[in-house]
Amino acid sequence: MACYTLSADLLRRMLGVPGPSQPRPVWVPHALQGPSSDGAGSAVETISAQNDSDDEAVADITVDLGADALAGAQGAKGQQQGAPHSPLPPPLPPLHLLSPRHAELLAQAEGRGAVPTLHIAVEPSKGLKSDAWRLVGPYLRLYGAGALSNSTLINPEYTHLFVPGLGSQPYVTAKAYGRAIAVGIGDPLAAPRDWPALAAAFKAALPHASFMHVGPAYARVLQERLGFAIADMGAETNILVRAWGYGKRTRTIRTAARDARSAGVRVREVGPAGLTPHVGRQLADVTGDWLQQKSVKEQELRVFIRHLDYENPQLEDGVRLFVAERDSLPPPPPNLLGQPGLFDPATAGPLGGGEPAAADTQRGVEGFVLLDPLWRGGEVFGYVTSLNRMRRDGHHGTLKLLYEEILAAVKAEGKEVLTFGFSPFFNLQRSPFHGSLFAHLGLTFLFHHGNNLYQFQNLAFSKARYGGGVVGDAYRDPSVTMTHVYSALPTGRPGIRLLLDTYIMFQFVGFFGRLWDTFLKLVGIRDSLHGPSCPEEGDCRREGSSEESVSRGSSPVPSLVGTGSSSSACGSPRSDRSAGAKARRK
């Protein structure tokens, strides 16, 4: 792979061709901005891509907006449809609040009859004062209905291709083996009628880019308008909170939550004022302990996983944090623990009997769930469980109790949905797009045989329990829905290049490591993806999973098609085994 990419890169440089991740300047005519008079548009619009080498050389990319871009898109969930009444585009912030580079480009647009495409990097440390939030944030609040929408403005690996008056297409740049690729992530933060124009602008700026984690409606736009090949890459699990309730197939979830409550576990919501440095340190400790049970514990995941800065969690603009706590005795002084005749950990008192030392109980964090808002028309209509963690030695029902309390709170507030997020390569379907058979077979193989790389099956199984199991392409419980997400690959490119780009992206996300390490781990020879420590390339930036795994990757995985009467979702390895033993005794 390295030889292929190095030779291709050398040839590209000799010919003066820009790299696949290097964006071209693109100017979008004002005619493309704002809502059209008839809601669909009937003219043929032109997007101009200007090359750096020659300001006068213009390559036109024509996008036919005469038909509804979403016609025939079946199965798209309601939250992907954006604001119901297609409000006017949000105004730009004052230019003096933006970085000089972005302000200068926007100022140049005043006399050109066109607006530039801006490539805005996410800066988590600046929060709502960053250019990304000031320019893209208003579009997020109107159209940010996807499970990853909020993460695209928080995770530092994201960049936004922003077109004033239209919206934004989030993307990431992945680098490996001497090659850099750009990958659009998720649906645009824009009105659905503007998706074709944004997709065309993105393709003009990054002609070699592909897409991942797009919904069915946007996948159809990419296939029919721009000729991308579409392949299923997994599904999201959505609980319709107004209709969902415990049933016989989810009784073990309720039992585990009840047991946790009886054991003294309590759930509370923590707001910005209550997020003290002490609480932040406890959250970080829980995550550190949690990662020890993961098959990818030595590296942190990214892109599909929410980034959380424990020193500055940014609980603002709809983000919420729920923590589970339990009373516990404080630890003994370090200089006493284990010294004969001084302290007995079993009794919290002196060895050899006597009265235990007086100690006040304290509440320690056993687990937590972070919720990101789902936006539609400026209102929050639901949440996604973007991050959740539990201590390995915590009560096995801790996360079940957390979800029970969250579901009750969200339902009481009148919200519509709680999304558990993305299960990679789960329940893949060839229809309706009938994409590459090779891609379908490869991802199916990873789901069934790649649990040593990442806990694909365990993750899907933990979510399927809330739906009572899977029948065909749906959950048994109709109040739990399944929404497929897709990858979109450009056609007419060499197969070896597409294969390499896909591998680079999965390595960037954290599913894979270096090629040889990945092979050894896949066949079970090596325990970690990168040997004893993380690589120097920086693959250790993200963590865990957006939904917890049930057991280690090498453990047997229960069938997804079942009654759901084994252990409940969101459990620990220990709780899964104990629940299974109880079921066998019964």
Side-chain angles (χ1 to χ4, degrees), residues 574-585:
R574 176 172 53 81
S575 67
D576 236 20
R577 291 192 294 267
S578 61
K582 291 179 182 178
R584 287 191 294 271
R585 287 197 297 270

Side-chain angles (χ1 to χ4, degrees), residues 187-372:
D187 296 344
L189 299 176
R193 67 164 182 275
D194 295 326
W195 288 0
L198 261 176
F202 186 75
K203 184 175 175 60
L206 295 159
H208 303 285
S210 56
F211 293 83
M212 286 189 177
H213 201 280
V214 301
Y218 192 42
R220 189 169 296 279
V221 171
L222 295 174
Q223 183 188 55
E224 296 181 352
R225 301 304 183 88
L226 299 177
F228 280 84
I230 308 300
D232 193 352
M233 64 176 299
E236 295 176 346
T237 300
N238 317 296
I239 297 182
L240 308 180
V241 296
R242 298 176 184 176
W244 188 85
Y246 287 124
K248 66 178 183 178
R249 299 184 185 278
T250 53
R251 62 181 180 272
T252 53
I253 302 177
R254 176 172 52 188
T255 300
R258 181 187 61 200
D259 291 347
R261 186 180 288 108
S262 300
V265 180
R266 296 293 181 265
V267 174
R268 67 183 178 100
E269 183 173 2
V270 178
L275 195 59
T276 63
H278 175 65
V279 173
R281 286 192 296 270
Q282 289 192 78
L283 299 179
D285 289 343
V286 169
T287 292
D289 183 75
W290 170 263
L291 290 178
Q292 296 308 307
Q293 70 175 318
K294 312 295 288 183
S295 23
V296 195
K297 61 175 177 288
E298 82 287 349
Q299 70 171 15
E300 298 176 342
L301 304 183
R302 57 184 131 190
V303 181
F304 303 133
I305 307 302
R306 170 69 143 78
H307 169 69
L308 179 61
D309 182 350
Y310 294 96
E311 296 181 357
N312 181 26
Q314 299 181 2
L315 298 183
E316 52 195 5
D317 216 43
V319 179
R320 302 171 70 173
L321 174 67
F322 288 79
V323 300
E325 301 170 316
R326 182 160 58 159
D327 291 338
S328 61
L329 287 172
N335 62 327
L336 296 182
L337 182 60
Q339 294 187 18
L342 293 179
F343 187 82
D344 184 357
T347 63
L351 285 171
E355 293 296 326
D360 294 330
T361 59
Q362 61 184 13
R363 299 195 69 80
V365 175
E366 289 214 339
F368 67 90
V369 174
L370 187 73
L371 300 182
D372 276 338

Side-chain angles (χ1 to χ4, degrees), residues 481-511:
T481 65
M482 184 186 305
T483 304
H484 287 269
V485 294
Y486 301 89
S487 64
L489 301 175
T491 55
R493 294 170 61 185
I496 183 64
R497 185 179 298 175
L498 288 176
L499 181 62
L500 174 61
D501 288 354
T502 302
Y503 192 96
I504 290 174
M505 183 58 185
F506 286 165
Q507 182 176 348
F508 180 78
V509 168
F511 293 159

Side-chain angles (χ1 to χ4, degrees), residues 20-36:
S21 66
Q22 181 180 346
R24 283 74 164 164
V26 175
W27 289 80
V28 179
H30 283 302
L32 281 179
Q33 294 181 261
S36 57

Side-chain angles (χ1 to χ4, degrees), residues 423-448:
S423 297
F425 319 145
F426 165 51
N427 202 28
L428 300 179
Q429 306 291 318
R430 288 295 315 282
S431 62
F433 297 104
H434 301 286
S436 167
L437 178 61
F438 177 77
H440 177 81
L441 294 177
L443 297 184
T444 300
F445 174 86
L446 280 176
F447 182 80
H448 289 289

